[in-house]
Amino acid sequence: MNVTGKVRIFKNDRGYVTSISNKKEDGSWENMYIPVTIDKKLKQVENNTNINITSGFLTFWKDKNGLAHPKVVIMGYQEGSVNVVANDPDLDLPF
């Protein structure tokens, strides 16, 4: 599945995450944090930065119990008016 659009990226000691929110019937909110991998050839993003993903995809990883977890892989993005893409036409996946 291709992923594009505006997101806020958070950086912590384990890497990058973004979040999605769901408003519950009682008016409160719940959040789900999704791990993000930014292609190693791209400029890395600072904590709490808004970007526009121009090229990315949704994949998953499995934990030690075999349970699948979603992950977003970013291959290109725009920060402000600057496009950040890898210049290598033979782009390798970041993992």
Side-chain angles (χ1 to χ4, degrees):
M1 175 187 294
N2 292 329
V3 175
T4 59
K6 296 178 183 178
V7 297
R8 178 169 290 179
I9 300 292
F10 302 98
K11 184 176 181 181
N12 58 34
D13 57 341
R14 294 152 113 199
Y16 296 101
V17 295
T18 192
S19 66
I20 56 176
S21 300
N22 185 37
K23 189 171 185 177
K24 297 177 2 181
E25 287 185 21
D26 66 2
S28 64
W29 289 87
E30 57 188 355
N31 295 314
M32 176 183 178
Y33 292 92
I34 301 172
V36 173
T37 298
I38 298 174
D39 186 287
K40 62 187 174 189
K41 297 177 185 174
L42 301 179
K43 173 187 162 220
Q44 299 303 291
V45 177
E46 295 296 321
N47 182 40
N48 203 20
T49 300
N50 292 318
I51 65 170
N52 185 23
I53 300 171
T54 56
S55 177
F57 60 93
L58 185 63
T59 188
F60 68 93
W61 61 277
K62 290 188 177 183
D63 64 20
K64 64 183 177 183
N65 298 318
L67 184 62
H69 300 273
K71 175 170 95 170
V72 174
V73 177
I74 298 174
M75 305 299 284
Y77 68 90
Q78 186 177 34
E79 185 177 352
S81 61
V82 177
N83 282 324
V84 181
V85 295
N87 294 330
D88 185 352
D90 299 323
L91 186 64
D92 293 329
L93 291 177
F95 42 85

